[in-house]
Amino acid sequence: MFEVILDTETTGLSTTEKHRIVEIGCIELENQIPTNKIFHEYLNPQRAVSEDAYKVHGYSDKFLSNKKTFPEIVESFLDFIKDKKIIIHNAPFDLSFLNYELKLINQKMIDKTNIVDTLEIARQKYPGSQNSLDALCKRFNVNNSKREKHNALVDCQLLKEVYINLIDQ
């Protein structure tokens, strides 16, 4: 069984304010073991990064200005996730942005039935506890010292460890 750990970084918190994706990271797993296949792109969102988002990930408008746009990478991204279960922490957030980007270019949206939300699993297993990615790393002794700022690929690496612990418990 193939799965993909997926994370995004964005220009802000809401697609209703036309915020966009600035980074997509994916790590492929086969039977919960990394295959060494990754998908990673920084994206030119074609709009300004909000101050709050910049504080989270540190990607400036200047840094993103010469990156590819979502339409330029969409085919390789969709090929990467095709027919795989997608593992996301707080799936509604990332999915809303991915589907917003897909809708802008008249592409079929990603179906929720193929998604596993690790935040939902954590909330069921540990009701009332902190279930952020950092809190779960701490709970499972996953070293997250590399995570000074949010980065889609680093967060995927951490989520891979958290996911395996969550479904193993």
Side-chain angles (χ1 to χ4, degrees):
M1 175 180 51
F2 285 95
E3 298 169 310
V4 171
I5 305 284
L6 184 148
D7 189 46
T8 63
E9 297 301 334
T10 63
T11 61
L13 294 176
S14 173
T15 57
T16 56
E17 294 175 18
K18 296 183 171 40
H19 283 290
R20 307 281 301 269
I21 295 174
V22 297
E23 183 186 22
I24 301 174
C26 299
I27 297 174
E28 184 184 74
L29 308 177
E30 183 176 12
N31 300 317
Q32 295 149 15
I33 298 165
T35 63
N36 295 325
K37 287 185 185 170
I38 65 161
F39 177 91
H40 182 244
E41 290 282 353
Y42 294 106
L43 299 171
N44 178 342
Q46 299 174 296
R47 63 151 293 158
V49 174
S50 73
E51 201 174 307
D52 288 341
Y54 177 76
K55 287 177 188 168
V56 170
H57 54 59
Y59 304 141
S60 68
D61 294 333
K62 185 179 180 192
F63 171 75
L64 297 167
S65 67
N66 65 350
K67 305 301 182 234
K68 293 176 185 170
T69 61
F70 187 82
E72 292 175 291
I73 62 93
V74 70
E75 199 174 309
S76 56
F77 169 68
L78 292 175
D79 284 347
F80 192 86
I81 65 168
K82 187 179 179 176
D83 299 326
K84 296 171 187 157
K85 189 191 296 184
I86 304 169
I87 316 303
I88 306 174
H89 195 73
N90 192 12
F93 179 83
D94 297 86
L95 263 187
S96 72
F97 277 92
L98 288 165
N99 284 332
Y100 176 68
E101 295 282 358
L102 290 165
K103 189 175 164 190
L104 288 175
I105 56 173
N106 298 312
Q107 287 274 346
K108 190 173 158 235
M109 294 205 230
I110 297 169
D111 188 1
K112 290 182 181 114
T113 57
N114 222 20
I115 305 295
V116 173
D117 187 348
T118 53
L119 181 57
E120 282 303 309
I121 296 170
R123 284 177 175 158
Q124 288 169 3
K125 287 193 170 205
Y126 311 108
S129 295
Q130 281 286 336
N131 289 307
S132 67
L133 187 55
D134 283 332
L136 292 169
C137 284
K138 193 173 185 178
R139 175 184 294 277
F140 298 126
N141 294 314
V142 173
N143 181 353
N144 65 347
S145 61
K146 286 187 182 145
R147 191 181 196 226
E148 292 169 29
K149 296 242 181 220
H150 286 241
N151 169 293
L153 211 49
V154 170
D155 289 359
C156 284
Q157 294 285 358
L158 296 173
L159 184 56
K160 171 183 59 102
E161 300 299 322
V162 165
Y163 173 62
I164 290 165
N165 277 284
L166 269 176
I167 60 173
D168 244 19
Q169 295 287 312

